[in-house]
């Protein structure tokens, strides 16, 4: 939830831009929720949680060091999908 403060401080996002980013991340998270029941049939729960943790960690690390808004939108995808899988 603190991502809005980060976006306004680092990238000078307006409230509308930050809301659009949060909606984009929410859509990506819903994709993770949608594919969860298909993935769990073929992969164990421990493996799904481990891959989710790894994807979130790597994604949020690169979101934190990116200086470009386009890269921020790109790097949030695996993190949001991974968060949706947990």
């Amino acid at each position: 939830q603190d991502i809005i403060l980060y976006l306004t401080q680092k990238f000078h996002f307006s409230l509308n831009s930050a809301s659009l980013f949060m909606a984009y991340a929410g859509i990506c998270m819903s994709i993770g929720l949608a594919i969860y029941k298909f993935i769990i049939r073929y992969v164990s729960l421990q493996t799904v949680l481990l891959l989710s943790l790894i994807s979130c960690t790597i994604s949020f690390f690169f979101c934190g060091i990116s200086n470009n808004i386009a890269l921020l939108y790109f790097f949030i995808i695996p993190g949001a999908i991974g968060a949706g899988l947990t």
Side-chain angles (χ1 to χ4, degrees), residues 4 7-8 13-26 73:
I4 293 176
L7 293 174
T8 56
F13 271 31
S14 66
L15 182 60
N16 288 339
S17 298
S19 298
L20 286 174
F21 181 81
M22 293 300 291
Y24 175 75
Y73 273 87

Side-chain angles (χ1 to χ4, degrees), residues 29 32-33 36 45 48-53 55-56 79-86:
M29 191 179 294
L33 287 168
Y36 175 75
L45 181 61
V48 171
L49 291 175
L50 180 65
L51 292 175
S52 174
L53 177 67
S55 71
C56 286
I81 291 174
L85 288 174
T86 57

Side-chain angles (χ1 to χ4, degrees), residues 26-41 80-86:
I27 290 169
C28 293
M29 191 179 294
S30 67
I31 291 170
L33 287 168
I35 63 173
Y36 175 75
K37 64 180 175 180
F38 299 112
I39 290 177
I40 203 69
R41 291 181 188 169
I81 291 174
L85 288 174
T86 57

